[in-house]
PDB file of all heavy atoms in Angstrom:
ATOM      1  N   MET A 292     -15.794 -60.803 -38.447  1.00 44.00           N
ATOM      2  CA  MET A 292     -15.291 -62.108 -38.050  1.00 44.00           C
ATOM      3  C   MET A 292     -16.313 -63.198 -38.366  1.00 44.00           C
ATOM      4  O   MET A 292     -15.961 -64.273 -38.872  1.00 44.00           O
ATOM      5  CB  MET A 292     -14.963 -62.092 -36.558  1.00 44.00           C
ATOM      6  CG  MET A 292     -14.495 -63.450 -36.033  1.00 44.00           C
ATOM      7  SD  MET A 292     -12.936 -63.992 -36.805  1.00 44.00           S
ATOM      8  CE  MET A 292     -11.799 -62.843 -36.033  1.00 44.00           C
ATOM      9  N   ALA A 303     -15.722 -75.200 -46.964  1.00 48.00           N
ATOM     10  CA  ALA A 303     -15.426 -76.546 -46.470  1.00 48.00           C
ATOM     11  C   ALA A 303     -16.485 -77.562 -46.851  1.00 48.00           C
ATOM     12  O   ALA A 303     -16.242 -78.764 -46.776  1.00 48.00           O
ATOM     13  CB  ALA A 303     -15.268 -76.517 -44.947  1.00 48.00           C
ATOM     14  N   ALA A 308     -18.262 -83.117 -48.301  1.00 50.00           N
ATOM     15  CA  ALA A 308     -19.058 -84.013 -49.140  1.00 50.00           C
ATOM     16  C   ALA A 308     -18.198 -85.078 -49.793  1.00 50.00           C
ATOM     17  O   ALA A 308     -18.670 -86.158 -50.123  1.00 50.00           O
ATOM     18  CB  ALA A 308     -19.793 -83.202 -50.204  1.00 50.00           C
ATOM     19  N   ASP A 331       2.537-117.843 -93.458  1.00 69.00           N
ATOM     20  CA  ASP A 331       3.364-117.855 -94.656  1.00 69.00           C
ATOM     21  C   ASP A 331       4.859-117.873 -94.340  1.00 69.00           C
ATOM     22  O   ASP A 331       5.697-117.792 -95.245  1.00 69.00           O
ATOM     23  CB  ASP A 331       3.042-116.666 -95.557  1.00 69.00           C
ATOM     24  CG  ASP A 331       3.312-115.330 -94.882  1.00 69.00           C
ATOM     25  OD1 ASP A 331       3.867-115.322 -93.758  1.00 69.00           O
ATOM     26  OD2 ASP A 331       2.969-114.283 -95.462  1.00 69.00           O
ATOM     27  N   GLY A 348      -9.651 -95.545 -60.116  1.00 96.00           N
ATOM     28  CA  GLY A 348     -11.053 -95.660 -59.723  1.00 96.00           C
ATOM     29  C   GLY A 348     -11.402 -94.724 -58.579  1.00 96.00           C
ATOM     30  O   GLY A 348     -10.538 -94.298 -57.802  1.00 96.00           O
ATOM     31  N   ASP A 354     -24.229 -94.186 -45.545  1.00 95.00           N
ATOM     32  CA  ASP A 354     -25.067 -94.940 -44.618  1.00 95.00           C
ATOM     33  C   ASP A 354     -26.476 -94.350 -44.611  1.00 95.00           C
ATOM     34  O   ASP A 354     -26.673 -93.185 -44.264  1.00 95.00           O
ATOM     35  CB  ASP A 354     -24.465 -94.892 -43.215  1.00 95.00           C
ATOM     36  CG  ASP A 354     -25.163 -95.831 -42.241  1.00 95.00           C
ATOM     37  OD1 ASP A 354     -26.218 -96.405 -42.622  1.00 95.00           O
ATOM     38  OD2 ASP A 354     -24.681 -95.994 -41.119  1.00 95.00           O
ATOM     39  N   ILE A 369      -6.323 -96.330 -67.898  1.00 89.00           N
ATOM     40  CA  ILE A 369      -5.363 -95.293 -68.260  1.00 89.00           C
ATOM     41  C   ILE A 369      -4.176 -95.971 -68.948  1.00 89.00           C
ATOM     42  O   ILE A 369      -3.845 -97.122 -68.641  1.00 89.00           O
ATOM     43  CB  ILE A 369      -4.874 -94.488 -67.032  1.00 89.00           C
ATOM     44  CG1 ILE A 369      -4.350 -95.424 -65.935  1.00 89.00           C
ATOM     45  CG2 ILE A 369      -5.976 -93.612 -66.494  1.00 89.00           C
ATOM     46  CD1 ILE A 369      -3.824 -94.702 -64.727  1.00 89.00           C
ATOM     47  N   GLN A 381     -10.383 -93.978 -74.690  1.00 55.00           N
ATOM     48  CA  GLN A 381     -10.478 -92.536 -74.880  1.00 55.00           C
ATOM     49  C   GLN A 381     -11.682 -91.939 -74.153  1.00 55.00           C
ATOM     50  O   GLN A 381     -11.828 -90.733 -74.086  1.00 55.00           O
ATOM     51  CB  GLN A 381     -10.570 -92.199 -76.377  1.00 55.00           C
ATOM     52  CG  GLN A 381      -9.309 -92.516 -77.160  1.00 55.00           C
ATOM     53  CD  GLN A 381      -9.209 -93.980 -77.531  1.00 55.00           C
ATOM     54  OE1 GLN A 381     -10.206 -94.683 -77.556  1.00 55.00           O
ATOM     55  NE2 GLN A 381      -8.010 -94.435 -77.813  1.00 55.00           N
ATOM     56  N   ALA A 384     -15.137 -93.907 -67.594  1.00 87.00           N
ATOM     57  CA  ALA A 384     -15.946 -94.998 -67.036  1.00 87.00           C
ATOM     58  C   ALA A 384     -15.903 -96.239 -67.931  1.00 87.00           C
ATOM     59  O   ALA A 384     -16.931 -96.817 -68.269  1.00 87.00           O
ATOM     60  CB  ALA A 384     -17.387 -94.533 -66.824  1.00 87.00           C
ATOM     61  N   GLU A 430     -10.167-116.067 -71.702  1.00 91.00           N
ATOM     62  CA  GLU A 430     -10.933-115.091 -70.935  1.00 91.00           C
ATOM     63  C   GLU A 430     -11.687-114.094 -71.815  1.00 91.00           C
ATOM     64  O   GLU A 430     -12.108-113.044 -71.333  1.00 91.00           O
ATOM     65  CB  GLU A 430     -10.000-114.359 -69.968  1.00 91.00           C
ATOM     66  CG  GLU A 430      -9.431-115.295 -68.912  1.00 91.00           C
ATOM     67  CD  GLU A 430      -8.823-114.556 -67.743  1.00 91.00           C
ATOM     68  OE1 GLU A 430      -8.362-113.409 -67.937  1.00 91.00           O
ATOM     69  OE2 GLU A 430      -8.817-115.124 -66.633  1.00 91.00           O
ATOM     70  N   ALA A 433     -15.061-113.067 -70.449  1.00 92.00           N
ATOM     71  CA  ALA A 433     -15.137-112.204 -69.272  1.00 92.00           C
ATOM     72  C   ALA A 433     -15.353-110.779 -69.732  1.00 92.00           C
ATOM     73  O   ALA A 433     -14.488-110.188 -70.383  1.00 92.00           O
ATOM     74  CB  ALA A 433     -13.855-112.325 -68.449  1.00 92.00           C
ATOM     75  N   ILE A 440     -28.113-104.426 -64.911  1.00 98.00           N
ATOM     76  CA  ILE A 440     -28.543-104.478 -63.524  1.00 98.00           C
ATOM     77  C   ILE A 440     -28.078-105.819 -62.977  1.00 98.00           C
ATOM     78  O   ILE A 440     -28.270-106.851 -63.617  1.00 98.00           O
ATOM     79  CB  ILE A 440     -30.073-104.305 -63.366  1.00 98.00           C
ATOM     80  CG1 ILE A 440     -30.465-104.433 -61.888  1.00 98.00           C
ATOM     81  CG2 ILE A 440     -30.847-105.276 -64.249  1.00 98.00           C
ATOM     82  CD1 ILE A 440     -31.912-104.051 -61.617  1.00 98.00           C
ATOM     83  N   MET A 473     -28.710-109.305 -72.893  1.00 91.00           N
ATOM     84  CA  MET A 473     -27.927-110.391 -72.317  1.00 91.00           C
ATOM     85  C   MET A 473     -28.456-110.703 -70.921  1.00 91.00           C
ATOM     86  O   MET A 473     -29.072-109.865 -70.270  1.00 91.00           O
ATOM     87  CB  MET A 473     -26.438-110.023 -72.216  1.00 91.00           C
ATOM     88  CG  MET A 473     -26.081-108.907 -71.246  1.00 91.00           C
ATOM     89  SD  MET A 473     -25.924-109.362 -69.474  1.00 91.00           S
ATOM     90  CE  MET A 473     -24.563-110.498 -69.533  1.00 91.00           C
ATOM     91  N   THR A 521      -5.609-123.796 -59.680  1.00 98.00           N
ATOM     92  CA  THR A 521      -6.877-123.463 -60.333  1.00 98.00           C
ATOM     93  C   THR A 521      -7.065-124.325 -61.572  1.00 98.00           C
ATOM     94  O   THR A 521      -6.162-124.436 -62.399  1.00 98.00           O
ATOM     95  CB  THR A 521      -6.916-121.984 -60.747  1.00 98.00           C
ATOM     96  OG1 THR A 521      -6.670-121.163 -59.609  1.00 98.00           O
ATOM     97  CG2 THR A 521      -8.269-121.624 -61.336  1.00 98.00           C
ATOM     98  N   TYR A 536      -9.509-115.494 -83.701  1.00 42.00           N
ATOM     99  CA  TYR A 536      -9.951-116.529 -84.640  1.00 42.00           C
ATOM    100  C   TYR A 536     -11.268-116.140 -85.299  1.00 42.00           C
ATOM    101  O   TYR A 536     -12.232-115.783 -84.630  1.00 42.00           O
ATOM    102  CB  TYR A 536     -10.133-117.849 -83.876  1.00 42.00           C
ATOM    103  CG  TYR A 536     -10.774-118.932 -84.701  1.00 42.00           C
ATOM    104  CD1 TYR A 536     -10.011-119.753 -85.522  1.00 42.00           C
ATOM    105  CD2 TYR A 536     -12.151-119.108 -84.674  1.00 42.00           C
ATOM    106  CE1 TYR A 536     -10.612-120.734 -86.286  1.00 42.00           C
ATOM    107  CE2 TYR A 536     -12.748-120.081 -85.438  1.00 42.00           C
ATOM    108  CZ  TYR A 536     -11.981-120.898 -86.240  1.00 42.00           C
ATOM    109  OH  TYR A 536     -12.560-121.858 -87.001  1.00 42.00           O
ATOM    110  N   SER A 570       4.081-119.579 -53.157  1.00 97.00           N
ATOM    111  CA  SER A 570       4.810-118.450 -52.591  1.00 97.00           C
ATOM    112  C   SER A 570       5.967-118.928 -51.724  1.00 97.00           C
ATOM    113  O   SER A 570       5.770-119.724 -50.797  1.00 97.00           O
ATOM    114  CB  SER A 570       3.869-117.581 -51.749  1.00 97.00           C
ATOM    115  OG  SER A 570       2.791-117.101 -52.518  1.00 97.00           O
ATOM    116  N   TYR A 634      -5.191-111.532 -84.866  1.00 36.00           N
ATOM    117  CA  TYR A 634      -4.826-110.160 -84.589  1.00 36.00           C
ATOM    118  C   TYR A 634      -3.922-110.141 -83.355  1.00 36.00           C
ATOM    119  O   TYR A 634      -3.986-111.015 -82.508  1.00 36.00           O
ATOM    120  CB  TYR A 634      -6.067-109.320 -84.256  1.00 36.00           C
ATOM    121  CG  TYR A 634      -6.990-109.059 -85.414  1.00 36.00           C
ATOM    122  CD1 TYR A 634      -7.262-110.011 -86.393  1.00 36.00           C
ATOM    123  CD2 TYR A 634      -7.629-107.838 -85.514  1.00 36.00           C
ATOM    124  CE1 TYR A 634      -8.129-109.760 -87.433  1.00 36.00           C
ATOM    125  CE2 TYR A 634      -8.511-107.569 -86.558  1.00 36.00           C
ATOM    126  CZ  TYR A 634      -8.756-108.542 -87.504  1.00 36.00           C
ATOM    127  OH  TYR A 634      -9.626-108.282 -88.522  1.00 36.00           O
ATOM    128  N   GLN A 656       4.570-103.280 -61.220  1.00 96.00           N
ATOM    129  CA  GLN A 656       3.201-102.804 -60.961  1.00 96.00           C
ATOM    130  C   GLN A 656       3.091-102.282 -59.528  1.00 96.00           C
ATOM    131  O   GLN A 656       3.735-102.800 -58.618  1.00 96.00           O
ATOM    132  CB  GLN A 656       2.171-103.916 -61.175  1.00 96.00           C
ATOM    133  CG  GLN A 656       2.272-105.088 -60.223  1.00 96.00           C
ATOM    134  CD  GLN A 656       1.076-106.006 -60.343  1.00 96.00           C
ATOM    135  OE1 GLN A 656      -0.070-105.556 -60.516  1.00 96.00           O
ATOM    136  NE2 GLN A 656       1.302-107.314 -60.257  1.00 96.00           N
TER     137      GLN A 656
END
Side-chain angles (χ1 to χ4, degrees):
M292 177 63 71
D331 62 6
D354 189 352
I369 53 178
Q381 293 81 21
E430 295 196 332
I440 177 171
M473 67 82 63
T521 304
Y536 172 86
S570 301
Y634 290 38
Q656 65 170 321

